């Protein structure tokens, strides 16, 4: 009887620990897409076509398969110096541990992440989004603009007053808007290093608005 109580006690402790792990939410700091691009080892546009749960760790790792049938199905924007070919994307199987879920054979995704021992890892704290949901400015940023501003610093402003403290900073004020995140600066601006030696928000040249924004708060 004593042995039975001991076993029950061990099971209760184990279950309580497991519940604590499951209920522990993933917490990520907000970041501008440009920061996500600049701080990532790899940035690709891919269509996910398969998945497999690998039994490693307490909750396992989900391995997503990227099928590279055509150039449009998987395009690499950053990471050529890390890997030459991307076939699998790895993430935690549990969302509470910041694991990300991709739909199979439906959408093309922008996927950012890190490379470790030749494998590509991503999670909820990385910038992963369906390609058609990105704004035109974000797509242009991924293609070339964000790279031009990787030496700049995007400074978040959570409450007023906010100021830039160096010439390589752009003040990011989306968090002050009642529209929430992602805001206007996240969707339409890049922080670019200008030839004059300072960084400023840049919206780009379009048929409707052929202006360059040279202010810290567009």
């Amino acid at each position: 009887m004593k042995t039975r109580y001991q076993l029950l006690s061990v099971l209760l402790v184990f279950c309580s620990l497991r519940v604590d792990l499951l209920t522990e939410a993933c917490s990520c700091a907000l970041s501008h897409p440009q920061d996500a691009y600049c701080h990532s080892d790899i940035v690709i546009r891919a269509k996910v076509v398969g998945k497999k749960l690998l039994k490693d760790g307490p909750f396992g790792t989900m391995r997503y398969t990227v099928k590279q049938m055509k150039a449009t199905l998987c395009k690499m924007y950053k990471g050529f110096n890390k890997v030459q070919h991307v076939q699998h994307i790895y993430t935690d199987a549990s969302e509470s541990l910041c694991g990300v879920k991709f739909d199979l054979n439906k959408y093309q995704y922008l996927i950012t992440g890190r490379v470790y021992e030749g494998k590509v890892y991503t999670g909820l704290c990385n910038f992963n989004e369906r390609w058609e949901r990105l704004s035109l400015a974000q797509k242009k940023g991924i293609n070339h603009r964000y790279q031009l501003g990787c030496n700049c610093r995007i400074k978040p402003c959570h409450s007023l007053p906010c100021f830039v403290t160096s010439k390589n900073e752009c003040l990011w004020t989306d968090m002050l808007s009642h529209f929430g995140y992602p805001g206007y600066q996240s969707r339409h601006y890049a922080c670019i290093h200008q030839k004059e030696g300072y960084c400023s928000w840049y919206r780009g040249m379009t048929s409707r608005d052929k202006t360059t924004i040279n202010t810290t708060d567009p």
Side-chain angles (χ1 to χ4, degrees):
M1 184 66 68
K2 185 177 180 180
T3 303
R4 181 178 298 177
Y5 285 134
Q6 289 175 337
L7 288 173
L8 286 173
S9 299
V10 172
L11 286 173
L12 286 172
V13 171
F14 176 78
C15 290
S16 64
L17 289 173
R18 188 175 179 86
V19 169
D20 288 341
L21 286 171
L22 286 171
T23 55
E24 190 175 305
C26 174
S27 179
C28 307
L30 296 179
S31 65
H32 190 280
Q34 178 174 320
D35 275 343
Y37 173 93
C38 293
H39 296 155
S40 295
D41 292 333
I42 191 166
V43 179
I44 63 171
R45 174 184 176 185
K47 188 172 184 180
V48 183
V49 297
K51 66 179 181 178
K52 181 179 180 180
L53 179 62
L54 305 179
K55 298 294 183 179
D56 57 343
F59 300 105
T61 299
M62 188 64 70
R63 185 184 72 186
Y64 288 98
T65 301
V66 177
K67 191 174 182 180
Q68 297 181 260
M69 296 174 57
K70 298 179 181 179
T72 56
L73 287 184
C74 185
K75 183 174 182 179
M76 188 181 298
Y77 300 97
K78 183 182 180 183
F80 298 99
N81 60 325
K82 299 287 185 179
V83 291
Q84 298 299 316
H85 178 79
V86 179
Q87 186 177 3
H88 300 296
I89 305 291
Y90 296 84
T91 188
D92 281 297
S94 172
E95 288 186 81
S96 65
L97 296 178
C98 297
V100 63
K101 297 186 182 299
F102 297 107
D103 291 317
L104 303 184
N105 297 303
K106 285 187 177 181
Y107 313 107
Q108 290 190 20
Y109 289 94
L110 175 73
I111 301 173
T112 69
R114 60 186 178 88
V115 177
Y116 180 70
E117 294 183 348
K119 296 180 179 179
V120 179
Y121 293 86
T122 192
L124 290 176
C125 294
N126 297 101
F127 184 56
N128 301 300
E129 184 59 273
R130 284 163 45 178
W131 184 257
E132 74 272 12
R133 289 181 175 175
L134 299 177
S135 67
L136 178 60
Q138 287 174 325
K139 292 176 181 178
K140 289 182 177 180
I142 295 297
N143 270 295
H144 63 280
R145 283 181 186 162
Y146 290 160
Q147 183 180 359
L148 301 176
C150 284
N151 290 327
C152 298
R153 178 175 179 260
I154 296 176
K155 184 177 181 179
C157 176
H158 297 280
S159 62
L160 294 174
C162 295
F163 306 97
V164 295
T165 55
S166 69
K167 64 180 182 180
N168 71 324
E169 290 181 344
C170 293
L171 196 61
W172 183 30
T173 59
D174 278 351
M175 288 70 71
L176 300 177
S177 171
H178 67 278
F179 294 108
Y181 179 85
Y184 201 75
Q185 286 174 304
S186 297
R187 291 188 56 80
H188 301 291
Y189 286 87
C191 179
I192 301 299
H193 193 272
Q194 305 292 339
K195 62 182 180 179
E196 292 83 358
Y198 61 88
C199 295
S200 65
W201 289 113
Y202 178 76
R203 185 175 182 178
M205 305 290 284
T206 67
S207 57
R208 295 182 179 180
D209 182 16
K210 297 185 178 180
T211 60
T212 301
I213 305 299
N214 282 334
T215 63
T216 57
D217 187 9

